[in-house]
Amino acid sequence: MRVLVIGSGAREHALCVALQSDPAVTALACAPGNAGTRAVAEAFLLQVADPVAVAALAREWGAELVVIGPEVPLVAGAADAVREAGIACFGPSEQAAQLEGSKSFAKHVMTAAGVPTAKAWAVGGPAELETALDEVHALTGGAPYVVKDDGLAAGKGVVVTVDREAAAAHGRAVLDAGGAVLVEEYLDGPEVSLFAVTDGTTVLPLVPAQDFKRRDDGDGGPNTGGMGAYAPLPWAPAGLVDEVLATVLQPTVDEMARRGEPFSGLLYAGLALTSRGVRVVEFNARFGDPETQVVLPLLATPLAGLLHASATGALAGHPPLEWRPGAAVTVVVAASGYPEAPRTGDPITGADGEGVLHAGTAVAPDGRVVSAGGRVLAVTATGDDLAAARQAAYERVAGVRLAGAHWRSDIALAAVEGRIALP
Ligand code: AMP
Ligand code: GLY
């Protein structure tokens, strides 16, 4: 099978590594890719947000399966364009990708499907914003305000704060920029990312993972695209995956089918395990980054066959997923200035080390690997248990040199030390 991966992050590098180890894959390409994917996959220039260009590349290269990594091409309709070209595509339609592309659409689907999530107020103007903040304060007392940009914002559109004026200012800024705003009830408790592969009918959950969204140790600093992850979760309650399948994933997939907008591809449930039970924080319509970097190394089932079965509506006949024992940890090495104003163009040494997945990297004209984005590398290791995986990942981080780089030193630490408490 000739497989074309669309995207250029560490998620796509992880997808390429997993696909390359599937004996069914005869040729692998990644467009546009990065310095890391070039080592395992052919590279092509590509504007990923242009569905016509994505479909044209798939046709010209002779792809038999296209795997779309990021949300931007999905929301732009790239999966539809590839399917119209007669090529199997892993990823939801433009319509179905609205589960990620519009938080208010996702709320409507969850309400219709009876899926538990935070109470939310859709806000169209400054007066409604103040009313919504009053109502959420009356409902939750002293809990933080949660104010979201309704559209795609690369994980940076959400402000969670007890400072009412800061919450209102974020809402006004989004409205001033022409966006829509969602004010939400605050959800307490640890967060879990649970991915499921679906073909629009059958849903196969993967192992749960945890992401670290804040920039600094101890969950300080601004929200980022994700600073690290680990899987599986030793502290997760028994039966969590079955519960989320029954109360969140399957009802959502069924509701999308009922609407005539079947969701096939990767359904990512961002969950909070609150004092009142499991709640959906958000849906994404694609593999999460950096969680993919820890979930895929644990998957023993060949990846191309699984994604092809999703793309062709054949998951009901797919064998149960098999998992390797042990755990995986990934630590994101970010550029100086990330997330506000990342510096690029710095040379990286050790970028070809084992487990070093590339995100924002490029090959300079002189052949050196340089930084080319905010999240530069996702340094990943597996181990017999979480402590061993964590130690191995940080040993690998120590083998990398990038001027001004920063990373969190506490990825998976609370879980290793048994400090994650369920409310
Ligand atoms: P989102 O873009 O919706 O995933 O939000 C990004 C991050 O903001 C989440 O991973 C949470 O850490 C936080 N967040 C979002 N919504 C809520 C909420 N209702 N209550 C508490 N934290 C939230
Ligand atoms: N891990 C967060 C995301 O992929 O959106």
Side-chain angles (χ1 to χ4, degrees):
M1 193 188 324
R2 294 175 64 81
V3 184
L4 169 63
V5 176
I6 304 297
S8 61
R11 161 186 53 211
E12 286 73 29
H13 194 180
L15 284 163
C16 285
V17 168
L19 288 163
Q20 195 205 23
S21 71
D22 181 341
V25 175
T26 52
L28 185 62
C30 183
N34 57 40
T37 65
R38 271 155 204 263
V40 286
E42 273 182 80
F44 296 96
L45 289 174
L46 180 68
Q47 291 294 336
V48 297
D50 178 356
V52 175
V54 173
L57 174 63
R59 209 182 305 109
E60 283 155 25
W61 187 70
E64 293 163 291
L65 173 67
V66 176
V67 178
I68 300 185
E71 60 276 20
V72 168
L74 292 167
V75 168
D80 309 78
V82 170
R83 282 192 275 268
E84 276 160 28
I87 300 166
C89 186
F90 180 79
S93 67
E94 177 179 354
Q95 288 282 346
Q98 287 303 307
L99 266 188
E100 170 163 7
S102 165
K103 291 182 191 295
S104 48
F105 175 80
K107 286 286 179 193
H108 285 300
V109 171
M110 284 188 264
T111 303
V115 169
T117 184
K119 196 166 160 45
W121 292 259
V123 165
E128 270 175 56
L129 176 64
E130 293 300 331
T131 311
L133 291 172
D134 288 342
E135 287 185 23
V136 79
H137 183 77
L139 182 78
T140 62
Y145 299 97
V146 180
V147 179
K148 300 186 170 185
D149 184 336
D150 188 47
L152 286 185
K156 293 154 212 159
V158 179
V159 164
V160 181
T161 177
V162 291
D163 178 346
R164 166 137 184 175
E165 190 33 46
H170 178 60
R172 285 194 301 268
V174 173
L175 291 170
D176 287 347
V181 169
L182 214 60
V183 172
E184 278 188 12
E185 164 200 10
Y186 176 76
L187 300 174
D188 60 350
E191 286 184 49
V192 171
S193 300
L194 185 61
F195 301 166
V197 174
T198 175
D199 58 5
T201 307
T202 300
V203 182
L204 298 182
L206 309 187
V207 290
Q210 195 174 43
D211 180 13
F212 291 74
K213 291 235 165 72
R214 301 287 187 138
R215 184 189 62 196
D216 302 332
D217 280 5
D219 291 331
N223 260 328
T224 70
M227 295 297 291
Y230 65 95
L233 309 178
W235 49 269
L240 176 69
V241 172
D242 288 341
E243 179 190 342
V244 175
L245 176 61
T247 62
V248 173
L249 298 167
Q250 191 72 55
T252 300
V253 166
D254 292 348
E255 171 61 19
M256 292 298 287
R258 197 192 60 76
R259 289 174 175 240
E261 294 162 8
F263 184 101
S264 77
L266 196 291
L267 181 58
Y268 164 148
L271 306 162
L273 307 193
T274 78
S275 41
R276 286 170 295 142
V278 174
R279 296 283 183 279
V280 174
V281 178
E282 63 165 347
F283 282 128
N284 291 318
R286 35 89 197 165
F287 278 104
D289 189 344
E291 298 95 316
T292 300
Q293 290 89 298
V294 291
V295 170
L296 291 184
L298 301 174
L299 180 67
T301 300
L303 186 62
L306 175 63
L307 303 187
H308 191 265
S310 156
T312 55
L315 273 184
H318 192 278
L321 301 183
E322 287 180 35
W323 296 95
R324 300 193 172 94
V329 173
T330 191
V331 179
V332 170
V333 174
S336 170
Y338 179 75
E340 290 89 0
R343 191 175 79 199
T344 58
D346 289 307
I348 310 164
T349 52
D352 54 357
E354 203 182 339
V356 178
L357 296 167
H358 289 219
T361 68
V363 183
D366 64 6
R368 287 195 297 182
V369 175
V370 297
S371 58
R375 292 188 292 178
V376 180
L377 304 168
V379 182
T380 308
T382 55
D384 290 340
D385 60 21
L386 195 55
R390 177 180 142 77
Q391 189 180 344
Y394 277 105
E395 278 166 13
R396 288 175 175 179
V397 171
V400 171
R401 288 281 175 280
L402 167 64
H406 59 97
W407 56 85
R408 282 182 61 156
S409 67
D410 65 347
I411 305 301
L413 184 59
V416 167
E417 293 179 347
R419 284 192 281 111
I420 299 189
L422 295 168

